[in-house]
């Protein structure tokens, strides 16, 4: 088909686990994009992916970009974070998110608001099916 599956892990990278959304949802994209999360919060970005796709960007390929300086401080900070965070930390974060989602859903329900509050992961948001208070708040 000629299409690429690209995961923009700028938000999800390392918030769902060390494998990001790719591991969390068991999907392997053709390309990954990461923001400053890979640098422990310092300004840096990176992308990676399948060899055949990245070979287009490699030296000698039709599109080449070189960064002779690199970001050693950001790389070291990112590695430090990854070495400091483990599965128990992600489990604790998910538990806190689920607790917050339950309390938020109850507050919305008691306030007469209709909303969906999915507690599936630390990157989920909530949405309102229609603006304003409603009398069908019990249907959350």
């Amino acid at each position: 088909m000629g299409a690429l599956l690209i995961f923009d892990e700028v938000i999800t990278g390392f918030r769902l686990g060390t494998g990001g959304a790719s591991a969390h949802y068991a999907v392997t994209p053709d390309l990954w994009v990461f923001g400053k999360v890979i640098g422990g919060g310092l300004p840096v970005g990176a992308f990676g992916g399948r060899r055949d796709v990245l070979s287009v960007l490699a030296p000698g390929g039709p599109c080449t970009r070189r960064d002779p300086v690199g970001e050693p401080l950001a790389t070291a900070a990112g590695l430090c974070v990854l070495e400091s965070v483990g599965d128990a930390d992600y489990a604790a974060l998910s538990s806190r998110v689920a607790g917050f989602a339950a309390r938020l859903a109850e507050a919305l329900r008691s306030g007469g608001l209709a909303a969906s509050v999915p507690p599936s992961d630390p990157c989920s948001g909530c949405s309102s099916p229609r603006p304003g208070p409603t009398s069908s708040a019990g249907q959350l």
Side-chain angles (χ1 to χ4, degrees):
M1 184 181 265
L4 293 174
L5 176 60
I6 302 172
F7 271 26
D8 181 349
E9 298 259 23
V10 169
I11 298 297
T12 57
F14 310 137
R15 288 189 176 104
L16 299 173
T18 55
S22 176
H24 185 79
Y25 297 112
V27 175
T28 302
D30 299 304
L31 290 172
W32 286 267
V33 179
F34 295 93
K36 64 184 178 181
V37 68
I38 65 165
L42 294 173
V44 67
F47 61 94
R50 293 191 341 238
R51 181 181 302 269
D52 63 313
V53 176
L54 292 179
S55 68
V56 175
L57 302 172
C63 177
T64 301
R65 182 189 183 299
R66 296 183 181 176
D67 184 357
V69 178
E71 294 292 337
L73 179 61
T75 303
L79 180 59
C80 181
V81 169
L82 285 175
E83 290 175 341
S84 301
V85 177
D87 291 340
D89 298 303
Y90 288 110
L93 176 60
S94 292
S95 176
R96 289 180 67 187
V97 167
F100 173 76
R103 291 187 302 278
L104 178 59
E106 179 54 34
L108 291 168
R109 193 174 5 265
S110 67
L113 300 173
S116 172
V117 183
S120 62
D121 58 61
C123 295
S124 292
C126 57
S127 60
S128 175
R130 58 190 169 277
T134 178
S135 60
S136 60
Q139 297 176 8
L140 288 178

